[in-house]
Amino acid sequence: MIEKNIHFEKNDSWKKIIGIYVILIIFCAITLYPLLNVLSVALRPGDQLFSTSLRIIPADATLDNFRKALFETDLLIWLKNSLIVSSLTAIIGVFISITAGYAFSRFSFWGRKVGMMTFLVTQMFPAPMLLLPMFIILVKLKLMNSFLGLLIPYVAVSVPFSVWMLKGYFDTIPKSLEESAYIDGCKVWQVMYKIVLPVSTPALAITGLFSFMTAWSEFVIARIILTSAEKLTLPVGLVNLQGSFSAEWGTYSAAALITSVPVIILFISLSRYLVGGLTVGGVKE
């Protein structure tokens, strides 16, 4: 007799299980079909761009659009720029969030509650609202058209959410672990580095991923700050591929698929941590 999957209850009927799978398959199809259409357009020859065929892979599929995207555009430069900016945003954002989250979790000080509420309130406003004051600040600091000028707003946007998430996770770690380390003579930074961070991997993974994606897919701020062609990031560069009067949609689709590869690799690498990271702060000591 075939045993039921461990993810279902013992009393669940086969009709209920089959119904759940049917619903999941339908939603997966709805989600994947637009992506498969992008793949189809990327594989079509230029003279079949507006084909009415429903085939995902055309009969005369070609990789010419991928060749054009890689070697006839600045896609590799945009990819490099985005990787640099997104990686630095993740590293700097997570570092700041670790120190702030640990301080809010473990220490009592004046303004602690006000500080946490301030972080929360900043999440109520969209990032484009920062454009005008950020633009004025960056102009005065002469950081326009530079990666450093782009990192400042990206880190500022990602840190509040990350601090709240890490603070919630640190709250779930028993203080007795740290007290034992203090008795052994460890200092605060040693306790955080040797005791707290090793058991906080899921939270660090999800906050790092959030910070990375904040910079990877952002368009509006990058469009304002970056002006040189050699410093454009992927979202801005891909929009430039559309042109003023026409667009090579085959090349554009191929470039969009290539753009998704680093993110897919990152998600796969961190997949084992994502479930734990998404549920941080759910249990307290």
Side-chain angles (χ1 to χ4, degrees):
M1 182 177 178
I2 299 176
E3 295 183 0
K4 295 181 181 179
N5 192 291
I6 59 174
H7 297 292
F8 295 98
E9 299 292 336
K10 290 183 178 180
N11 297 326
D12 286 344
S13 66
W14 287 108
K15 291 182 179 180
K16 178 180 178 180
I17 295 174
I18 293 174
I20 291 174
Y21 274 112
V22 169
I23 294 173
L24 290 174
I25 291 172
I26 291 173
F27 277 98
C28 286
I30 294 173
T31 303
L32 291 175
Y33 187 73
L35 300 177
L36 294 176
N37 266 334
V38 174
L39 175 62
S40 178
V41 172
L43 293 175
R44 292 176 189 173
D47 57 349
Q48 296 184 17
L49 181 60
F50 299 103
S51 172
T52 57
S53 172
L54 296 179
R55 296 185 58 175
I56 299 300
I57 300 179
D60 49 356
T62 176
L63 296 177
D64 188 57
N65 289 321
F66 290 90
R67 181 191 60 80
K68 289 181 180 179
L70 287 171
F71 303 111
E72 296 183 13
T73 69
D74 293 330
L75 179 64
L76 294 179
I77 296 176
W78 304 334
L79 184 62
K80 179 196 70 174
N81 294 342
S82 284
L83 284 173
I84 292 173
V85 172
S86 301
S87 299
L88 289 176
T89 300
I91 294 171
I92 297 173
V94 170
F95 176 78
I96 295 175
S97 301
I98 288 173
T99 55
Y102 187 77
F104 280 116
S105 175
R106 288 298 188 258
F107 304 111
S108 297
F109 51 89
W110 184 86
R112 179 172 176 265
K113 291 184 178 180
V114 175
M116 290 301 296
M117 289 303 300
T118 301
F119 279 135
L120 185 61
V121 169
T122 59
Q123 297 298 289
M124 299 171 59
F125 303 99
M129 289 187 64
L130 298 172
L131 279 178
L132 181 58
M134 191 62 65
F135 179 83
I136 296 173
I137 293 173
L138 294 179
V139 168
K140 291 184 177 181
L141 294 177
K142 298 181 180 180
L143 292 177
M144 290 294 293
N145 193 35
S146 67
F147 290 157
L148 180 57
L150 198 58
L151 283 172
I152 293 175
Y154 284 174
V155 172
V157 169
S158 66
V159 161
F161 173 82
S162 300
V163 169
W164 264 95
M165 178 167 286
L166 288 177
K167 189 264 182 188
Y169 196 90
F170 292 152
D171 286 343
T172 67
I173 300 175
K175 292 183 180 180
S176 56
L177 295 177
E178 300 165 61
E179 291 169 355
S180 300
Y182 286 129
I183 292 175
D184 291 337
C186 291
K187 299 184 182 299
V188 174
W189 67 269
Q190 290 175 316
V191 170
M192 187 170 65
Y193 176 73
K194 295 181 179 181
I195 306 297
V196 177
L197 294 187
V199 298
S200 304
T201 305
L204 297 178
I206 197 67
T207 52
L209 182 61
F210 171 78
S211 299
F212 184 91
M213 292 304 302
T214 296
W216 184 263
S217 58
E218 200 284 323
F219 169 76
V220 177
I221 297 176
R223 182 74 169 182
I224 299 299
I225 294 177
L226 301 176
T227 55
S228 300
E230 68 275 6
K231 292 185 178 180
L232 297 182
T233 54
L234 275 170
V236 181
L238 289 177
V239 170
N240 288 346
L241 282 180
Q242 296 180 10
S244 301
F245 302 100
S246 63
E248 295 186 11
W249 292 111
T251 305
Y252 183 89
S253 299
L257 291 174
I258 295 172
T259 298
S260 66
V261 172
V263 179
I264 292 174
I265 294 174
L266 186 61
F267 266 92
I268 293 175
S269 302
L270 299 178
S271 60
R272 59 176 176 167
Y273 303 115
L274 293 184
V275 175
L278 290 171
T279 57
V280 296
V283 180
K284 292 188 177 182
E285 183 184 17

